[in-house]
Amino acid sequence: AVTDHEVTTDTITADYWKFLPEFTDDLVESMRRMARDHNIVVAGGSHNRVAEDGSLRNTAFIAHPDGRIESQDKIHLTPQEHALGARG
């Protein structure tokens, strides 16, 4: 369950690693459902996730009407993303 959360400079690193990735699976599933229900391709924005290797990634997802999901990790990270420990 999501609770109210104030983002501050003290919480931002933990937010990128712990709080924001909690939403990624639900966002991707919503995109998949929308693509299937409306027979469209949905190109979602990028979302934070923790990859299987334990690294922080900023990943864009594309949902197809047949249920397929394609993804692409951001390649050119900002200095701030590097500072948070993200990898491309």
Side-chain angles (χ1 to χ4, degrees), residues 24 27-32 34-35 40-48 58-64 68-74:
T24 301
L27 289 166
V28 171
E29 188 53 38
S30 293
M31 290 170 49
R32 182 192 317 266
M34 188 184 316
I40 59 174
V41 174
V42 178
S46 60
H47 305 281
N48 294 290
N58 187 342
T59 306
F61 297 93
I62 297 176
H64 295 270
R68 280 180 302 125
I69 298 291
E70 295 183 84
S71 64
Q72 173 64 54
D73 291 340
K74 186 174 179 181

Side-chain angles (χ1 to χ4, degrees), residues 10-83:
D10 292 333
T11 68
I12 195 73
T13 298
D15 291 339
Y16 271 82
W17 280 89
K18 302 287 183 202
F19 188 72
L20 294 173
E22 290 180 14
F23 297 100
T24 301
D25 289 343
D26 288 340
L27 289 166
V28 171
E29 188 53 38
S30 293
M31 290 170 49
R32 182 192 317 266
R33 191 171 41 254
M34 188 184 316
R36 207 173 22 227
D37 290 352
H38 299 285
N39 198 35
I40 59 174
V41 174
V42 178
S46 60
H47 305 281
N48 294 290
R49 69 181 183 92
V50 177
E52 289 181 15
D53 66 2
S55 63
L56 180 66
R57 303 295 177 121
N58 187 342
T59 306
F61 297 93
I62 297 176
H64 295 270
D66 64 5
R68 280 180 302 125
I69 298 291
E70 295 183 84
S71 64
Q72 173 64 54
D73 291 340
K74 186 174 179 181
I75 298 169
H76 301 286
L77 302 175
T78 65
Q80 293 84 357
E81 288 170 318
H82 281 293

